[in-house]
Each structure stands twice: as structure tokens, then as C-alpha cells.
Amino acid sequence: MTSDLLAPLDLAFWNIESDRHPMHLGALGVFSAHSPTAGAHAADLLAARAAAVPGLRMRIRDVWQPVGSPFSLPLAFGGATREPDPDFDPMNHVRLHAPTDDFQAVAGQLMERPLERGRPPWEAHVLPGEDGVSFAVLFKFHHALADGLRALKLAAGVLDPMDLPERAPRAVEPPRGPLPDMRKLPGLLRGALSEVGQALDIGASVALSSLGVRSSTALTSAPSGTRRTAGVVLDIDDVHRVRKAVGGTVNDVLIAVVAGALRRWLDERGDGSEGVAPRALIPVSRRRPRSAHTQGNRLSGYLIRLPVDDPDPLRRLAAVRTAMDRNKDAGPTRGAGAVALLADHVPALGHRLGGPLVGQAARLWFDILVTSVPLPGLGLRLGGHPLTEVYPFAPLAPGQSLAVAVSTYRGRVHYGLVADGRAVPDLDRLARAVSDEVEMLMTVCD
């Protein structure tokens, strides 16, 4: 594989990270086991297969060459490349742990640990179950190496092969040189002016979004570097029952469930939900089918106020539906939720020097991340052992206490919760609130 320059958003993720605040995403998969040695066998398989997946060999190396718009060349130094690691050893990335009876507790501890930046930034941790009939694998990927879709593809490369139809080859983007094609300058100038206008529009929307509504202090905190994780499993049929009764989309229901669960949790812990309407960032993929951009993050987002302060579950769902419809009408490239697009307007040196400040400023843009990670409908296996549960874990922005990721797999919805361990020691209580909220919605819809 050849090296390629990191896209601006990848570079932003790479430079936001610190030792006390890693920016990797994760997924905890639980497999049924045929024997107590299944976990050890799975670890051997992962190490052997990782050597044959080219994307898992890629490390990130800082370089001094122009990245981004030609009109920012004077400040466009200090980028990074994604390139093959000549010393790649999969044994440095796959680790077998002692048996445990609590996969989530161990996953939280492992999510605290930053990935080693000098190596390909990913890890696979195999956790045998003490019961001998299950094991789990925690995959960790740095967001600069792979977004959720790309991470899924890399993880699938080390699972048992599936018989899938062949896809047409993607178009190959020609290498970018250090200087632009002079014949393209008029078009590039028009594009640059358009981007400036878009950046100003997004910036104004971000500023307006922070006015007027209280956000709970339970969702923001000084980073402690600690992590807790929790998981919730729902029946997709229950979600569809609610959707059919009140309209909207499955995603609307899943977001409304988060709002209701936060209300229950805040009231139970004594923080109070009155007047609370936290800003939720809902990432939106801008990756196009058969696009030449196969690795870089292509993200925008929608920003909505979660109606945590509304005591009526049906009004909460209606408010979420209205906000999401409004975002969809505007599109993913406008408004405060498109804050990720601002990365494209910052030169590489700006990412290098301003990364820590940008990370700390995340709390000014949104209070909680609620993201959806698609999974294949086919059943996945490792060493013949079926995957029964899968909990996605989103990166936790500096200064924020909680992130929520959701995946649907084989008829069940899996919520993966990640929290700052010191700020949210009662994450299990929030997980129970998610289940309670779904039951409440089904009751009022019947």
C-alpha cells in the first residue's frame, strides 16, 4: 500500500488527542463459545488474520508538506500521512486477557488507555468469559485511522469470511501534488470563496445554538482520563411498534429514547431535568457510494436540542422528529451541526497548533454525541463462534462526560454508552433508564 495525506478532519482528530484524553472509537463484540479455550483460539486467529489486512498495517506519521487548499499554502505545513508500517507485528496489537465475568467493566478500563501513536493505531483485546460459554473482543481504532464505516470494514477483515457479491472497483484518485494545477485556479478560487461563506454560516449557527437553554452539568466535566462503558439491548420490533404508532423514523425513536433516559437519570441522581435541553450532535456520513475517498473521515452532522425537560414522552418524540426533519430539509452542510466541516477550512499547521484548543472548545458546540453505526444484516462469526451482541463506543470529546452510539444487529438494537468514569460513576443507572424509557413509550403507544 502507498501512503496518503490525512484529510483535514482526520488531521483534526489526530491533533485533538492527548495522553489524558484519547480519541479512539471502539466496539465490544460478544461471541458464544463452544469451549473454555475459544477465547485463546480467537486471539490466535485475530493475530494471524490481521497480518493479511493491509489497512491494519497503516501507521500515521507527522510530515511537513502542504495539505488542503492551495490558498492556505503559507500556513499549510505540519500535516500527517497514513502509510504502511515496515515493522508491523500483529502480536503487538492483539492481546488475550484473563477470564472475566464483566465484559463491560474491563472494556471501560481498556478504553482509558491511549493507542500507541508510533504503531498502527488499533488494538483487539480478547476477553474470555468465566462461564466458559462466551468471550468478547474489544476492537479499538483511532478515529484518524478509520471512521465507523471504515473501522467496520477493517474489523470484518479479521472475522470469518462471508460470501458476499463482488463490488465494482472504486475510482482511484490521482496523487495530490504540492501545488495546484494552474488551469484549475479560477474554479478553485470560486470554491474557496464559497467555502468561506459556508464556514461563516456554520460559525454563526454554532454561536446561536449555545444561547438560551440550560445544559446539565452532568454532561460536561473536567476530563479525568477515566472511562466507563455500559450496554443496552432492545428488540427492534419494540422500536418499530413505537414508530408505527406515532410516525417518524427508527432513528427519531432511538434519539427520543436517549432524551427520555437522560431525564430519568438526571431526576434519579438529584441533578434535576427542569429547563435542561442539551445540544446533541448527530453525525451524518458524507461518504458517497463508489467514492474515491476510501479512508478519510467524511462527516457532517445535525445539531438538535434534546427535549429532556419535557415530561411527556410523546411530546419528546414529536420534538425530536420535528428537529430532525428541519435538519434534513437544510441538509448536512449547513447549520451548527455541520461543525465538522470547519476542519476543511483550517490549514494543517492550524490543526497542529490549535488541536488542543479545538478539543476543549467541543463543549461549546454540543453537550452529547449520539451516533449510529451501521452493521451488516448477515450474522458474523469468529472461529465459527457466532457474534451475539455488539456495542459500539464513540470517542468522548474533551470536557464532555457522555457519548452514545447505536447499532442494529440481527433484529436487536445495541446502545453503547461511554462516559468519563469520575463524572458518571452511575453509568449502569443510565443504561437501565434506556430500557425503562422504551417500555414507557410502548405503554403510551398501545
Side-chain angles (χ1 to χ4, degrees):
M1 296 183 69
T2 59
S3 62
D4 64 290
L5 295 172
L6 260 64
L9 189 54
D10 296 327
L11 192 59
F13 282 123
W14 188 243
N15 286 295
I16 286 173
E17 182 176 72
S18 67
D19 288 340
R20 285 183 55 81
H21 202 97
M23 286 298 295
H24 52 253
L25 51 87
L28 180 68
V30 180
F31 298 81
S32 64
H34 303 326
S35 71
T37 61
H41 177 57
D44 292 339
L45 273 179
L46 291 173
R49 291 173 177 176
V53 180
L56 296 179
R57 294 176 170 269
M58 304 300 282
R59 66 179 180 181
I60 295 174
R61 186 171 66 89
D62 294 331
V63 295
W64 292 90
Q65 55 182 307
V67 179
S69 168
F71 301 103
S72 60
L73 285 178
L75 294 176
F77 293 88
T81 62
R82 194 183 289 107
E83 61 181 33
D85 182 359
D87 301 318
F88 175 69
D89 182 353
M91 298 304 296
N92 292 326
H93 300 264
V94 179
R95 293 154 195 177
L96 177 65
H97 294 260
T100 178
D101 61 355
D102 191 339
F103 295 140
Q104 291 286 356
V106 178
Q109 296 168 8
L110 294 173
M111 288 293 288
E112 293 180 7
R113 304 178 188 176
L115 295 165
E116 189 168 336
R117 290 169 72 92
R119 294 174 176 167
W122 69 274
E123 293 173 353
H125 296 269
V126 181
L127 315 175
E130 284 188 347
D131 56 12
V133 297
S134 64
F135 67 90
V137 179
L138 174 68
F139 289 101
K140 294 168 55 179
F141 293 93
H142 197 287
H143 219 310
L145 177 69
D147 61 10
L149 294 174
R150 174 73 177 164
L152 174 63
K153 182 177 179 181
L154 292 175
V158 293
L159 299 178
D160 292 356
M162 295 185 294
D163 295 327
L164 298 175
E166 294 187 4
R167 299 180 61 181
R170 294 175 181 263
V172 178
E173 185 179 64
R176 286 183 289 178
L179 294 175
D181 184 339
M182 300 302 292
R183 295 170 296 181
K184 298 181 179 180
L185 283 180
L188 290 172
L189 179 58
R190 287 194 298 270
L193 292 175
S194 175
E195 288 178 353
V196 169
Q198 180 180 328
L200 292 174
D201 178 67
I202 294 170
S205 298
V206 169
L208 290 173
S209 73
S210 63
L211 300 177
V213 183
R214 183 172 73 92
S215 296
S216 173
T217 56
L219 299 179
T220 59
S221 65
S224 70
T226 61
R227 292 289 182 273
R228 287 181 182 271
T229 68
V232 185
V233 181
L234 309 176
D235 192 322
I236 190 63
D237 289 340
D238 293 340
V239 177
H240 280 300
R241 282 173 57 191
V242 175
R243 179 191 62 79
K244 291 176 181 178
V246 300
T249 68
V250 167
N251 201 41
D252 294 341
V253 176
L254 297 179
I255 295 171
V257 166
V258 174
L262 288 174
R263 177 182 175 83
R264 292 170 179 271
W265 175 64
L266 291 173
D267 288 343
E268 287 177 5
R269 74 197 318 248
D271 289 334
S273 59
E274 183 177 356
V276 174
R279 296 157 299 178
L281 181 64
I282 316 294
V284 177
S285 176
R286 296 170 58 233
R287 192 186 301 277
R288 296 179 179 177
R290 306 185 187 281
S291 168
H293 298 280
T294 59
Q295 297 189 22
N297 279 283
R298 304 285 295 170
L299 291 174
S300 179
Y302 297 146
L303 195 71
I304 71 170
R305 289 281 185 179
L306 294 180
V308 171
D309 56 346
D310 194 323
D312 188 309
L314 293 183
R315 285 204 305 262
R316 288 196 296 267
L317 180 50
V320 168
R321 179 182 177 184
T322 298
M324 289 297 289
D325 287 345
R326 186 166 54 245
N327 274 289
K328 292 171 187 175
D329 289 341
T333 61
R334 299 184 63 84
V339 65
L341 299 183
L342 293 179
D344 294 337
H345 304 276
V346 178
L349 187 59
H351 286 298
R352 177 71 63 86
L353 300 178
L357 293 176
V358 171
Q360 294 300 324
R363 70 177 74 182
L364 302 178
W365 295 326
F366 61 95
D367 303 300
I368 183 173
L369 179 73
V370 182
T371 185
S372 177
V373 181
L375 291 175
L378 299 175
L380 301 174
R381 294 175 176 269
L382 177 57
H385 304 285
L387 176 67
T388 58
E389 303 170 31
V390 56
Y391 303 96
F393 298 136
L396 195 62
Q400 295 179 340
S401 303
L402 177 68
V404 180
V406 190
S407 284
T408 300
Y409 176 69
R410 295 184 68 78
R412 299 200 294 175
V413 176
H414 295 76
Y415 280 85
L417 312 178
V418 178
D420 183 287
R422 186 172 300 169
V424 188
D426 56 344
L427 189 62
D428 289 345
R429 182 186 295 180
L430 177 58
R432 290 194 298 272
V434 170
S435 298
D436 292 342
E437 182 64 15
V438 173
E439 292 182 7
M440 171 64 75
L441 281 170
M442 286 193 298
T443 299
V444 297
C445 289
D446 285 342

